[in-house]
Amino acid sequence: MNVELIQAIVALLTGGFLAFLAMTIIRDNLTSKLNRVTAAMLFFASLGPLFMALGAIIRQSPTASIGFEDSTVFHLSYLWEFFFPLLLLFSWIFPDDRLQHFKHTRLRYLIFIPPALHLMLLLFFHQLIKVLDSLQIVPKDEGFSSIILVPLSQLFSYTILALSFIRTYQFTIFGLLNILYLLVAFYFIESGRKLAAHARLSTQTLVVYHGLRLSIVVYIITLIIAMFKPELISDTTKSFLYLLSGVILVITFTYATLRYQFLDVRLRFRQSFVYSITSALLVGTYIVLVVQSRHFLQPLFGAQTEILSYAFIIIILLIFQPVNNAIDNLIQSLFIRTRTDHRNIIERFSKQVISLFDPVKLRRIIEETLKTFLMVDKVYFILYDDDIEEYSLMQSEDFPRRVALKRDDLLLRGINLLESPTYLHTLADFMTDSELASIFKELRVKLILPLKDAEHLLGCLALTDKVAGYRYSADDMNLLGVLSNQ
């Protein structure tokens, strides 16, 4: 097996992993901007190694009619350069959206202009030159027409020269632009680490940023050497280092997603991702064994090889399903017993509160559970106060004062009608002239968890958004319903 074939296989696997991870992230939550940006970033990153693998296959094809570097497929491979502005955009919104207070948010789309221009230049350079050349009309006299046509003709000439210059030195020009993207993203990555105050979010940020930094450094060093000292690096080494940068991305985001629940990806999607990958590797292994069976059976059995190869294929097929089931069970056991699994959260919570009668300690346990395992940003308690016989917004770490509420507050009436966790905006009809609604608006409350016994409203929990813009999933809502019932 030659080096080019190995590189093609590694490139194909790297691109495939990145594309599949992007699909997993976007399937989990299409409505989240962070998920969309991350998925788009990983998808365009996957195009680099995928086109690298395709290029290796085309170059080895004896039926290739034109050089791969002159083909449309090669030019389309530069789609992967959209990864750089998307990485910069990702560094702006994770772990905290630093664009939300920016007045002119649409200006962020300007960062996509350089890769778009580069792609257009590669695809339509010759057609554009022909059009500009045809527009260079030189007047026959020095009349009024020459006042207009001569400057236009010169402008078109300068434009052709500029486009030709950019096309000639495109590798250096756009390479330097990509390095600039990476350096700016590197700056925001470093400054963004300070914004992750939540423990789990801080761990996610640390893992992702360590991987991104390493991938960026490897890519920048390789690109600089390739641009300014090409004699120091062979094409094989350059391809290997570029692939290494992509492999680091795969490992980083896969590890952060599976181990630390990056982007709050739901359990079933993480399980689906691992199961699909392991199944693909298993199928690939079986195919290789079947294809290569004759080669290692031939020296041992000679003329009987063909019969034995069929028997070998039947055995492989028979053990495929049991092995696949064993892998499925292993994956489920690995994920189901994680600390963030909802069944484990309920079990630990029940053990903590079953013999606890101190209200302050109980509220602290509830608050820590919601913040630690569900990544809720802030938790507020509205409970019935026996001392004043009214409901009160209780004092907590996030709310330093205690506020008494009128029992006839309209929003409390609306909360009394609830039977399960509900988004606050659905209670809009009960917010008119409500003191509690005004407080909730000031505190940016997102979700209400009613606390009720058989006859009375004991109070409620008011939750803000989750950290980093993560959203409440259906699994979260079910868990919150169980916790509020307990």
Side-chain angles (χ1 to χ4, degrees):
M1 187 177 291
N2 58 44
V3 176
E4 288 188 1
L5 181 57
I6 294 175
Q7 283 191 344
I9 294 174
V10 173
L12 189 62
L13 291 174
T14 301
F17 276 126
L18 285 170
F20 191 72
L21 184 57
M23 183 175 66
T24 300
I25 290 172
I26 200 67
R27 283 174 58 203
D28 180 65
N29 188 8
L30 180 61
T31 61
S32 169
K33 179 171 66 175
L34 181 56
N35 283 55
R36 293 196 302 270
V37 170
T38 306
M41 178 182 71
L42 295 177
F43 171 74
F44 282 103
S46 73
L47 296 181
L50 286 176
F51 274 107
M52 184 183 293
L54 181 61
I57 295 172
I58 292 177
R59 289 190 188 95
Q60 294 182 4
S61 174
T63 58
S65 58
I66 60 173
F68 178 62
E69 287 73 13
D70 298 323
S71 66
T72 302
V73 173
F74 177 77
H75 294 157
L76 286 174
S77 67
Y78 282 88
L79 276 167
W80 91 276
E81 286 188 332
F82 283 96
F83 162 78
F84 298 102
L86 283 165
L87 173 62
L88 179 57
L89 185 57
F90 172 80
S91 70
W92 285 341
I93 64 176
F94 182 81
D96 185 59
D97 190 353
R98 282 169 275 186
L99 294 178
Q100 60 182 340
H101 303 300
F102 188 60
K103 294 182 179 179
H104 308 287
T105 55
R106 293 187 179 181
L107 290 178
R108 67 179 181 268
Y109 297 118
L110 293 177
I111 62 177
F112 295 98
I113 291 178
L117 289 178
H118 190 196
L119 185 63
M120 293 299 103
L121 185 65
L122 289 168
L123 292 175
F124 306 111
F125 174 75
H126 297 293
Q127 295 88 332
L128 187 58
I129 293 298
K130 288 180 180 178
V131 171
L132 291 173
D133 191 55
S134 65
L135 294 175
Q136 295 185 72
I137 303 173
V138 180
K140 298 180 180 179
D141 53 42
E142 297 182 357
F144 177 76
S145 61
S146 65
I147 298 176
I148 299 175
L149 295 179
V150 170
L152 285 177
S153 179
Q154 292 178 345
L155 176 62
F156 294 142
S157 297
Y158 291 140
T159 304
I160 291 173
L161 287 174
L163 291 176
S164 301
F165 176 82
I166 294 173
R167 178 63 186 270
T168 303
Y169 298 99
Q170 59 172 315
F171 180 70
T172 302
I173 294 172
F174 289 99
L176 290 173
L177 279 173
N178 292 337
I179 290 176
L180 180 61
Y181 277 121
L182 293 176
L183 292 176
V184 177
F186 195 95
Y187 167 77
F188 282 103
I189 284 172
E190 291 300 320
S191 61
R193 290 177 56 188
K194 303 175 184 177
L195 302 176
H198 189 278
R200 276 184 60 202
L201 182 63
S202 178
T203 303
Q204 293 177 4
T205 304
L206 192 64
V207 171
V208 170
Y209 282 2
H210 276 325
L212 281 175
R213 279 200 300 266
L214 183 57
S215 179
I216 288 172
V217 168
V218 171
Y219 182 84
I220 287 178
I221 292 175
T222 306
L223 187 59
I224 290 176
I225 295 175
M227 285 194 300
F228 301 108
K229 291 290 183 179
E231 67 276 5
L232 297 180
I233 186 170
S234 65
D235 290 339
T236 301
T237 304
K238 183 172 65 175
S239 299
F240 169 78
L241 291 174
Y242 284 147
L243 276 177
L244 178 61
S245 180
V247 170
I248 293 171
L249 276 183
V250 171
I251 295 173
T252 297
F253 282 93
T254 301
Y255 182 71
T257 302
L258 301 182
R259 178 68 178 83
Y260 295 106
Q261 206 173 345
F262 174 62
L263 297 180
D264 206 23
V265 175
R266 279 173 286 180
L267 178 67
R268 68 173 181 270
F269 284 109
R270 288 181 283 136
Q271 283 183 287
S272 173
F273 175 76
V274 176
Y275 182 74
S276 300
I277 295 300
T278 53
S279 297
L281 292 176
L282 181 63
V283 171
T285 302
Y286 274 55
I287 291 174
V288 171
L289 289 175
V290 169
V291 171
Q292 298 295 324
S293 60
R294 291 192 179 187
H295 295 288
F296 61 77
L297 291 175
Q298 181 70 36
L300 298 175
F301 300 100
Q304 304 297 321
T305 298
E306 186 171 353
I307 296 175
L308 290 173
S309 64
Y310 290 136
F312 179 77
I313 292 172
I314 293 173
I315 294 172
I316 288 287
L317 291 174
L318 289 175
I319 65 175
F320 176 84
Q321 191 60 44
V323 172
N324 196 37
N325 290 338
I327 292 175
D328 185 28
N329 293 332
L330 175 62
I331 291 170
Q332 289 192 32
S333 65
L334 289 175
F335 278 101
I336 287 175
R337 303 310 301 175
T338 59
R339 286 176 57 82
T340 56
D341 176 62
H342 287 177
R343 280 166 288 189
N344 278 348
I345 296 172
I346 295 172
E347 182 180 346
R348 283 193 299 272
F349 179 76
S350 299
K351 289 179 179 179
Q352 287 177 306
V353 304
I354 192 169
S355 59
L356 187 62
F357 300 99
D358 186 339
V360 177
K361 291 183 179 179
L362 182 59
R363 291 202 302 269
R364 187 170 64 250
I365 289 175
I366 294 171
E367 186 174 358
E368 289 176 354
T369 300
L370 295 177
K371 287 185 175 182
T372 303
F373 300 108
L374 289 188
M375 303 183 73
V376 179
D377 190 17
K378 291 181 173 60
V379 180
Y380 303 102
F381 295 84
I382 293 85
L383 301 172
Y384 186 77
D385 192 332
D386 292 322
D387 295 334
I388 61 175
E389 297 185 348
E390 295 285 358
Y391 291 94
S392 296
L393 177 57
M394 309 303 291
Q395 181 180 359
S396 65
E397 181 181 346
D398 300 320
F399 195 77
R401 67 186 190 275
R402 187 173 181 175
V403 178
L405 303 168
K406 295 180 180 179
R407 190 181 304 186
D408 59 352
D409 189 290
L410 189 59
L411 184 56
L412 283 174
R413 295 184 184 180
I415 295 173
N416 191 33
L417 300 175
L418 302 179
E419 298 294 337
S420 60
T422 305
Y423 286 104
L424 179 62
H425 66 80
T426 62
L427 299 173
D429 294 339
F430 299 92
M431 293 186 184
T432 305
D433 298 326
S434 168
E435 179 186 4
L436 182 58
S438 301
I439 295 174
F440 280 172
K441 184 177 181 180
E442 178 185 348
L443 299 177
R444 298 183 179 181
V445 169
K446 180 83 170 183
L447 195 66
I448 301 297
L449 276 68
L451 304 176
K452 304 171 71 175
D453 61 13
E455 299 178 358
H456 304 96
L457 175 69
L458 306 178
C460 67
L461 296 182
L463 313 183
T464 63
D465 279 317
K466 301 175 77 170
V467 297
Y470 297 163
R471 57 90 181 92
Y472 291 99
S473 66
D475 294 336
D476 291 337
M477 299 294 277
N478 291 333
L479 173 63
L480 290 171
V482 174
L483 292 181
S484 64
N485 289 335
Q486 289 197 11

